[in-house]
Amino acid sequence: MIPHDFTTKTLSWVAIAIFVIAYTFVILEDVIHLRKSKPVIVAAGLIWIIVAMSYAGIGRSDQVDAFLSHNVLEYAYLFLFLLVAMTYINTMEERGVFDALRGWLISKGFTLKGIYWITGALAFVISPLADNLTTALLMAAVVISVSGGRSAIMADKTLKGFVVLACINIVVAANAGGAFSPFGDITTLMVWQAGKVPFGGFLGLMPAALVNWLIPAVILSFFLPNAKPEPKKEETRLKYGAFVVVGLFIFTIALAVTFHNAFHLPPMLGMMTGLGFLQLYGHHLKNTDKSHVDDNRIGRFDIYNQLQRSEWDTLMFFYGVILCVGGLGALGYLAQVSGLLYGVLGPTYANILVGVMSAIVDNIPVMFAVLSMNPELTQGQWLLVTLTAGVGGSLLSVGSAAGVALMGQARGIYTFMSHLKWAWAIALGYIASIGVHMVIYDLSF
């Protein structure tokens, strides 16, 4: 259904103002401590009131329900998919999988340069499966623990410099690794669920993603101290059933791919089926696992506790963003922007600009806007915009969820300004990765 053009109407300008104000609150979340979902949910409701009033004014109120239903369905697919993924990640965390990995790294006595490269490499490798945010938080925890904790880092200029460089490396690596898998980033998941790129097609982004990480990683490595912290012994253990949960997660991913590729069903249906298997196994854990007997602080396993621990603020934020952008699309703005970007600038310049925009504005609304515009692009161009939206957020610390999360985890150490100091090195990786991709897919300006 083609939206009517209301872009010159005063009410539509009010809708734009509402969205800008709401997103300003989102950007300032770390300063004002207002959860990012709250302003966009309110903005979504107000924008759709404006949509309804606009279409009522031309006697086409029937179209509003069709536009809204389409956006709500898009959100439902994304919501259910992410809810399952988050539940699995929470369950693996509860079973001690991530603690065991962190404890092993801390106890090995690597040099600071070794920790820098190991955490970066693991962030690049793990993020395609465990998502870039979870991976970045895990690797940053290793870096901070090895460095002696927050107080030791703040008291030692050398350690502080190391943590800053290591955090930048982790953010870039996690975002780059998440770009070549539908499970690594929300934007790649959105592109896959929209059917723009097949599951295996994302692997074509691996060379460009690797270049995107390695170039800044090598540059930053020259400024690392040659120190070796004291190895620490951290008592960690895997709980009963940990490896089975990991296996079920891999099986669930395979189900999502099979449902999509073989049966042409939404991937979320495969994920929900996998959640059912996890629930059944959770029943077994609840009645078999005796870890709560050894430590009375640990209660019996309950799968619904892991479900409740999902990032509800993030899930609600996606609702607000999708409905806000969808409402602006119903008012005709996305068609106008699409004509300007892809009609005037051309697909390559437009897709590169999308990456730069995602460093300033979160990549999720940017990518949803591109998908809503639905420009005529080749698979190579769809992969290009997936790459730029995924790795463009690394240019600024506020440009990705991984960067924002690490600023909170290493508060006062890894900051916006400390990241900005090295933005030139990250930009070199960004430009080089685009060049690699254009050579591989024979794209031109």
Side-chain angles (χ1 to χ4, degrees):
M1 184 179 296
I2 300 174
H4 188 80
D5 186 3
F6 293 103
T7 56
T8 59
K9 304 297 183 183
T10 304
L11 269 180
S12 296
W13 298 344
V14 172
I16 290 288
I18 290 171
F19 180 69
V20 170
I21 291 169
Y23 222 84
T24 301
F25 282 115
V26 171
I27 294 171
L28 296 175
E29 178 189 17
D30 202 43
V31 178
I32 61 178
H33 307 294
L34 177 69
R35 287 186 177 273
K36 60 182 177 291
S37 63
K38 297 177 180 179
V40 291
I41 287 177
V42 173
L46 296 177
I47 288 172
W48 277 96
I49 289 175
I50 291 173
V51 172
M53 291 172 63
S54 299
Y55 277 88
I58 61 170
R60 299 305 305 268
S61 295
D62 56 304
Q63 290 187 342
V64 176
D65 185 62
F67 285 126
L68 185 59
S69 297
H70 171 74
N71 284 280
V72 170
L73 184 62
E74 288 286 334
Y75 172 69
Y77 284 165
L78 182 64
F79 170 83
L80 292 174
F81 189 104
L82 291 174
L83 188 65
V84 177
M86 288 176 177
T87 303
Y88 263 104
I89 295 298
N90 290 339
T91 304
M92 286 190 284
E93 182 184 12
E94 190 275 340
R95 293 288 95 184
V97 173
F98 298 133
D99 283 341
L101 174 60
R102 182 169 61 89
W104 178 82
L105 285 169
I106 291 171
S107 66
K108 289 301 177 180
F110 296 111
T111 64
L112 292 182
K113 280 192 175 182
I115 289 291
Y116 171 87
W117 282 109
I118 290 169
T119 53
L122 286 175
F124 186 83
V125 171
I126 296 174
S127 61
L129 284 178
D131 85 69
N132 51 8
L133 174 58
T134 302
T135 305
L137 289 171
L138 172 63
M139 293 301 108
V142 172
V143 167
I144 293 170
S145 297
V146 168
S147 301
R150 177 181 170 80
S151 58
I153 296 167
M154 294 297 288
D156 190 321
K157 188 176 180 180
T158 299
L159 284 177
K160 186 175 181 180
F162 162 70
V163 172
V164 168
L165 295 177
C167 284
I168 295 172
N169 185 42
I170 288 167
V171 169
V172 176
N175 287 339
F180 65 86
S181 164
F183 299 89
D185 190 82
I186 305 302
T187 53
T188 54
L189 174 62
M190 292 164 72
V191 172
W192 179 47
Q193 289 200 141
K196 302 302 182 182
V197 179
F199 185 84
F202 289 95
L203 290 175
L205 289 175
M206 186 184 290
L210 188 60
V211 168
N212 180 268
W213 166 52
L214 282 178
I215 287 180
V218 170
I219 294 172
L220 268 60
S221 69
F222 289 113
F223 298 88
L224 290 168
N226 289 311
K228 184 176 182 179
E230 288 292 325
K232 299 179 180 180
K233 288 186 178 180
E234 186 169 305
E235 190 68 29
T236 57
R237 61 170 181 167
L238 290 170
K239 292 183 184 178
Y240 176 80
F243 288 115
V244 176
V245 172
V246 173
L248 281 173
F249 182 48
I250 296 171
F251 174 68
T252 298
I253 292 173
L255 274 181
V257 176
T258 302
F259 272 53
H260 186 65
N261 292 349
F263 304 113
H264 307 291
L265 292 169
M268 70 84 187
L269 195 58
M271 293 294 285
M272 289 298 291
T273 305
L275 177 62
F277 284 113
L278 180 61
Q279 288 177 308
L280 291 174
Y281 187 65
H283 179 75
H284 168 74
L285 287 178
K286 185 175 182 179
N287 293 291
T288 309
D289 182 19
K290 303 300 181 184
S291 62
H292 62 281
V293 176
D294 301 328
D295 186 347
N296 58 21
R297 293 173 301 173
I298 304 174
R300 287 182 179 273
F301 178 84
D302 187 345
I303 186 61
Y304 288 102
N305 287 339
Q306 313 314 317
L307 198 67
Q308 290 169 5
R309 289 175 53 223
S310 297
E311 288 286 337
W312 287 99
D313 179 53
T314 300
L315 293 171
M316 294 298 99
F317 171 71
F318 294 152
Y319 162 83
V321 164
I322 288 174
L323 268 291
C324 281
V325 175
L328 295 178
L331 293 171
Y333 281 108
L334 295 185
Q336 294 283 347
V337 174
S338 178
L340 175 63
L341 284 178
Y342 292 95
V344 177
L345 296 179
T348 302
Y349 282 118
N351 290 335
I352 293 172
L353 184 59
V354 163
V356 176
M357 290 169 60
S358 70
I360 304 167
V361 180
D362 191 272
N363 59 0
I364 294 164
V366 173
M367 179 55 79
F368 185 72
V370 172
L371 290 170
S372 299
M373 295 173 200
N374 198 24
E376 289 290 332
L377 300 178
T378 63
Q379 182 171 312
Q381 288 289 356
W382 276 114
L383 284 171
L384 177 60
V385 73
T386 302
L387 173 71
T388 58
V391 304
S394 301
L395 293 168
L396 298 177
S397 61
V398 295
S400 67
V404 172
L406 262 61
M407 282 196 298
Q409 194 174 18
R411 190 180 301 277
I413 303 168
Y414 170 63
T415 63
F416 177 85
M417 294 306 297
S418 65
H419 187 105
L420 185 64
K421 178 182 176 181
W422 299 99
W424 62 271
I426 301 167
L428 289 176
Y430 179 73
I431 294 168
S433 65
I434 292 170
V436 168
H437 180 77
M438 290 181 68
V439 170
I440 292 175
Y441 286 90
D442 194 27
L443 302 179
S444 63
F445 288 99

